[in-house]
Amino acid sequence: MQVILAQALLGLNVGVFYAMLSLGLAVIFGLLNIINFAHGAMYMLGAFIALIGYSFLEQWLGISLQIGFWASLILVPLLVGLLGVLIERLLLRRLYDLDHIYGLLLTFGITLILQGLFSNYFNVSGTPYPGQPESLSGVVNLGFMYFPTYRLFAIVFSLVVCFATWFFIEHTKLGSRLRAGVENPDLTQAFGLNVPLMITLTFAFGAGLAGLAGVLAAPIYSVSPLMGADLIIVVFAVVVIGGMGSIMGAILSGLALGLIEGLTKVIYPPAASTVIFFLMVLVLLFRPAGLFGKEK
């Protein structure tokens, strides 16, 4: 039982990253109808900006400057969100009237460019992030296991971010305006709301969420140019299972599938890497809109 509980908690630790990344994808697809394949690259970029800010600024710029973990939690999502603004304004905006495949191909190309750029300067096998705060080092005694303090912080912080985002979109006036702008942009603009700006900020917010997940992941996993590519396929499967565009579906599916993956490592380890895709096939067969999606 102790092994099962320990593995479930480790699975939940993976699940919160699935949930955060799936949430960003669901926000962008649900509100903008864009399949953003560059989402994994935004996650990777967030981790690298945190790493560069902590370890390489002094070496590259010759100035004594180090951006710590807490500052990165604020600055990195803003910087990645700014890149999202540029991508939406300069590139994606030209494709809104075309088939979804064009947006998918464009964001896939952006992913390859960013991966290639960072692969030229950093180790593909990964670079450790040394900036974990001293206050989050050590372990916590949970009774059935000793669990790293930082991982516990990552779980709690990610859950707060996920459910705060859901509440903002579903239960605030600004969130209702965002949803109205997507469902009926002409009517919303007639009421004096700047729909293009809302679309840009929504894409930037989704990209910023991916960047934030990258910062949280940096102290746990090695920072690698391929870390986003390794995760994005799984995240797409999570979004499909939860329901494309469903905010709560992305959160709950991400958490649940992380737990299932963790428990599978105890019950039947060889299936741990494929169980999510097996569940995706079952969902597509019996409920194509996803567990929380709306049937058309």
Side-chain angles (χ1 to χ4, degrees):
M1 181 57 69
Q2 284 186 335
V3 173
I4 291 175
L5 289 174
Q7 200 61 52
L9 196 54
L10 290 171
L12 183 61
N13 194 189
V14 175
V16 293
F17 289 108
Y18 289 167
M20 281 194 71
L21 288 168
S22 301
L23 176 61
L25 271 181
V27 167
I28 291 172
F29 183 82
L31 297 180
L32 306 184
N33 220 22
I34 296 169
I35 302 173
N36 180 23
F37 204 87
H39 206 65
M42 300 296 107
Y43 165 75
M44 176 269 292
L45 186 62
F48 266 112
I49 294 175
L51 175 66
I52 292 168
Y54 190 86
S55 301
F56 292 97
L57 279 183
E58 185 174 357
Q59 176 184 333
W60 290 359
L61 302 180
I63 57 176
S64 182
L65 178 63
Q66 188 178 69
I67 301 174
F69 174 80
W70 299 113
S72 292
L73 277 181
I74 299 171
L75 293 176
V76 171
L78 295 176
L79 292 173
V80 177
L82 180 60
L83 177 62
V85 169
L86 295 176
I87 291 173
E88 195 281 331
R89 287 260 173 166
L90 300 178
L91 301 173
L92 284 173
R93 184 164 291 189
R94 304 169 185 270
L95 305 179
Y96 287 150
D97 296 329
L98 303 178
D99 191 270
H100 289 320
I101 190 66
Y102 293 100
L104 178 62
L105 290 172
L106 173 64
T107 53
F108 180 66
I110 293 170
T111 297
L112 295 180
I113 290 170
L114 290 174
Q115 284 181 5
L117 181 65
F118 281 94
S119 295
N120 285 333
Y121 297 99
F122 293 93
N123 191 346
V124 176
S125 61
T127 305
Y129 174 76
Q132 178 178 308
E134 194 67 31
S135 59
L136 297 177
S137 60
V139 296
V140 178
N141 186 358
L142 299 178
F144 58 91
M145 71 175 295
Y146 288 94
F147 196 70
T149 304
Y150 179 80
R151 285 179 178 258
L152 192 61
F153 162 78
I155 291 173
V156 175
F157 185 85
S158 300
L159 289 174
V160 170
V161 170
C162 287
F163 286 106
T165 300
W166 167 79
F167 182 84
F168 168 75
I169 293 174
E170 298 291 340
H171 295 285
T172 66
K173 184 178 290 187
L174 183 55
S176 65
R177 289 175 178 175
L178 283 174
R179 287 182 279 114
V182 173
E183 292 171 8
N184 198 328
D186 294 332
L187 182 60
T188 306
Q189 195 142 359
F191 279 98
L193 296 176
N194 190 337
V195 173
L197 178 62
M198 290 164 60
I199 290 174
T200 300
L201 293 178
T202 301
F203 189 87
F205 179 74
L209 275 178
L212 179 61
V215 178
L216 288 171
I220 300 176
Y221 309 107
S222 290
V223 181
S224 161
L226 301 179
M227 64 188 294
D230 294 339
L231 201 57
I232 190 63
I233 302 301
V234 177
V235 172
F236 265 111
V238 172
V239 173
V240 169
I241 291 170
M244 292 293 287
S246 172
I247 307 299
M248 184 56 75
I251 298 171
L252 296 181
S253 296
L255 297 174
L257 291 170
L259 282 170
I260 291 170
E261 185 180 287
L263 292 174
T264 305
K265 290 179 181 178
V266 177
I267 299 168
Y268 186 60
S273 60
T274 57
V275 63
I276 290 178
F277 300 103
F278 176 73
L279 292 173
M280 182 186 72
V281 170
L282 290 179
V283 169
L284 288 174
L285 285 174
F286 297 104
R287 189 173 170 81
L291 298 178
F292 297 88
K294 296 179 180 179
E295 298 281 357
K296 292 185 178 180

